[in-house]
Amino acid sequence: MVDIENRPAAAESAARTPVRGHAAAVPRAVAAAVEAEWVRCRQCAELVYGKRFRRVLSVCPDCGAHARLTARERLDQLLDPGTEVPIDAGVAPHDPLEFVDSRPYRERLGEARAATGMADAAIAAHARIEGRPVVVVAMDFRFLGGSLGCAVGELITLAAEESLRTHTPLLLVTASGGARMQEGALSLMQMAKTAQALGELDEAGVLVVSLVTDPTYGGVAASYATLADIILIEPGARMGFAGPRVIEQTIGERLPDGFQTAEFLLAHGMVDAIVPRAQLRRTLGYFLAVGDQTTPNEYDAAHASGTTGHPNGVAERRQVTAAKRLLATAPMCAPADGDTDSWDAVRLARHPERPSALDYAAHVLEDFHELHGDRLGDDCPAVVGGIGLLDARPVMFVGHHKGGADLGERQRRHFGMATPAGFRKAARLMRMAAKLRLPVITLVDTPGANPGLDAERGGQAAAIAENLRLMSRLPVPVVTVVTGEGGSGGALALAVADRVLISERGVYSVISPEGCAAILWKDPAAAPVAAAALRIGAADLLGMGVVDAIVPEPPGGAHTDVGEAAVLLREAVRPLLAELRGVPADLLVRERRARFRAFGATTHAPKRAQQGVS
């Protein structure tokens, strides 16, 4: 019987045995664990039949605990068989400080090499996952705790440079106690060196994915592990800058259960998703396919070389004529029902069963993967986002989510009122979209930004302002649909777009009717009068030019048939994205800025709704 959680420690003193013909191989202690008739889970203490344990990828079938893997085992599980081509850094670990503690560092290095058969704490390769090309680096905790020394830093940097050269997504599988103390400040410099290499991939638009495994701490967590576009983590894995013992010794308090675990990190906005080991290949394949879309298209290349202009040669008139064409040819975008007054529109926009962002994502997009967190400590539930496929092409999707008819869920979602973390999460996802050349679809449905004390302390105003500035210069197509309430700056923070549509029963305003009535009429009961005066309904907004088109809803409202509402929304968005995809980035930005520049200018004369199709 073998204790599955003690495998890495036991392996440090073991010899080598070959696996699958690779030059690098797993230790005999690991092989023994795989071949043992029975293994015991350290978390639940249940015995697991060895062959079954191997079939379930070293995950306890009783409690789900994920046993640690060696770097070799990790690649064997993740990579398509026969596709691996090793990347050799050509740098052997050395002893720049001639460091000695209780033993010379050179002796420790020699033992780690002998025990693992590895040159240092990571291996790298070109390969494929689910048929998609990838450059991958996998760390191994058995080698001096997976510590980041000069050789590991050089290997990761070389892998990033190879990823840059070939425009191939980079996957980093982390397992580390932190920077290697025995190499002193030179080890510290590897944090900056690897961060710089990932920065170059950002500039080039190359996808970086981090897979965090247990444990990932210190200088690795504070550099490449958390600088990726997408951060995935295995269930129960731990990540942090300082380890639990250091924190407890420093603050003199016992840490709460689950601190720094995957579940804690997800709740606090530090990772995008927790992915069980059995789902890793498919999930990584999905995101690598998105990364495979980053090669510049032919039109962008031609524009960059100066060989062409806008296809129609009339760039200044494109935005207006496109909106007219949509209105003229798409009955789905006809003006709203004439018998729906402003207050009726407000009540329908607020209907608790009205579909919100995740409802539309499930119906409009194929294979939607939600991403989480602002990377600053929170994951606002009122704003959701992620990557999905529309007509088999990836898009970045961001929207307010109110939570549906269940009151408890609506409260948990803050009724769609975003905190600063929500706006910062949206900004993070939109910056990722810009890097990966993904169109952005935003859905607006919020009474406004969260008015709480914590939101104000967290910089609510600045978070909204940053989004307005960011969206005005995004170099990718942006389409917004106001699907319910469009309340004040909390709505606009997701709505600086190339095309702004509104659902038939949607509303969009500088303030809620109740707020306006309380301030100007001194009577909240005057809200219906204020709603009419503010002209917040779809037809009025179309007439003022605030929106480009109106998306129809099923009879009675979107809540009466969510599936049909989603079809109507999808059919409104699809032609706009198809048109905008062919527009060069600099022209997109110029026209988007011109659109918002015109509002309120003396030369701006918006047409009435009934004139929009002329």
Side-chain angles (χ1 to χ4, degrees), residues 247-613:
I247 297 173
E248 288 184 338
Q249 290 170 3
T250 301
I251 67 175
E253 297 178 13
R254 177 178 169 79
L255 297 175
D257 291 339
F259 183 73
Q260 294 183 326
T261 63
E263 295 72 20
F264 173 93
L265 295 166
L266 182 66
H268 288 81
M270 299 302 181
V271 299
D272 284 299
I274 300 172
V275 184
R277 195 168 287 167
Q279 299 174 19
L280 278 174
R281 272 181 48 82
R282 181 187 178 278
T283 302
L284 288 169
Y286 174 87
F287 288 120
L288 293 176
V290 172
D292 218 10
Q293 305 286 331
T294 60
T295 302
N297 62 44
E298 294 179 1
Y299 188 82
D300 280 344
H303 178 75
S305 66
T307 59
T308 186
H310 187 272
N312 298 329
V314 197
E316 294 76 10
R317 295 200 300 271
R318 184 191 57 77
Q319 179 170 309
V320 175
T321 56
K324 284 185 176 180
R325 183 164 65 253
L326 181 61
L327 288 166
T329 60
M332 60 187 174
C333 293
D337 293 343
D339 60 353
T340 301
D341 65 23
S342 296
W343 188 242
D344 286 338
V346 171
R347 290 188 296 105
L348 283 169
R350 294 173 175 174
H351 196 290
E353 295 181 9
R354 192 172 181 84
S356 202
L358 289 178
D359 305 306
Y360 280 115
H363 287 81
V364 172
L365 302 176
E366 309 127 39
D367 209 5
F368 174 67
H369 285 244
E370 187 176 356
L371 303 175
H372 292 268
D374 67 350
R375 297 290 186 271
L376 295 176
D378 203 357
D379 182 35
C380 173
V383 173
V384 298
I387 297 174
L389 304 180
L390 182 64
D391 294 333
R393 301 185 68 169
V395 299
M396 185 65 76
F397 176 90
V398 180
H400 299 99
H401 190 69
K402 287 185 173 179
D406 180 77
L407 179 59
E409 179 65 4
R410 288 168 71 83
Q411 290 173 331
R412 190 181 78 81
R413 298 279 182 178
H414 310 316
F415 298 92
M417 295 185 290
T419 64
F423 296 119
R424 289 170 183 144
K425 174 167 62 174
R428 181 179 74 83
L429 297 180
M430 287 189 281
R431 285 193 294 268
M432 188 194 308
K435 172 181 173 177
L436 301 179
R437 300 173 181 263
L438 303 181
V440 175
I441 299 172
T442 69
L443 301 187
V444 170
D445 185 14
T446 181
N450 194 298
L453 291 176
D454 287 342
E456 290 301 313
R457 292 191 191 102
Q460 184 75 287
I464 292 171
E466 287 292 341
N467 273 30
L468 302 182
R469 179 168 61 181
L470 170 67
M471 294 190 75
S472 72
R473 61 192 184 197
L474 282 177
V476 293
V478 184
V479 174
T480 291
V481 184
V482 180
T483 59
E485 288 185 273
S488 191
L492 184 61
L494 297 189
V496 181
D498 303 298
R499 298 287 182 275
V500 180
L501 311 182
I502 189 168
S503 293
E504 188 176 354
R505 273 86 177 186
V507 295
Y508 197 7
S509 177
V510 66
I511 192 172
S512 70
E514 294 89 344
C516 180
I519 294 170
L520 300 182
W521 274 263
K522 313 300 183 185
D523 180 9
V529 179
L534 288 168
R535 292 170 59 184
I536 62 178
D540 279 325
L541 293 163
L542 180 64
M544 290 186 288
V546 172
V547 301
D548 298 304
I550 299 171
V551 181
E553 300 181 22
H559 60 283
T560 64
D561 191 336
V562 175
E564 179 63 18
V567 169
L568 293 169
L569 186 144
R570 183 179 65 236
E571 293 309 306
V573 168
R574 288 173 65 194
L576 297 179
L577 283 182
E579 179 183 18
L580 292 168
R581 274 192 178 104
V583 181
D586 59 346
L587 185 56
L588 275 175
V589 172
R590 286 205 309 270
E591 291 194 343
R592 190 182 309 136
R593 290 175 173 173
R595 170 199 178 95
F596 288 90
R597 171 67 178 84
F599 290 122
T602 56
T603 57
H604 180 63
K607 293 181 170 63
R608 302 296 301 158
Q610 61 267 28
Q611 298 173 317
V613 295

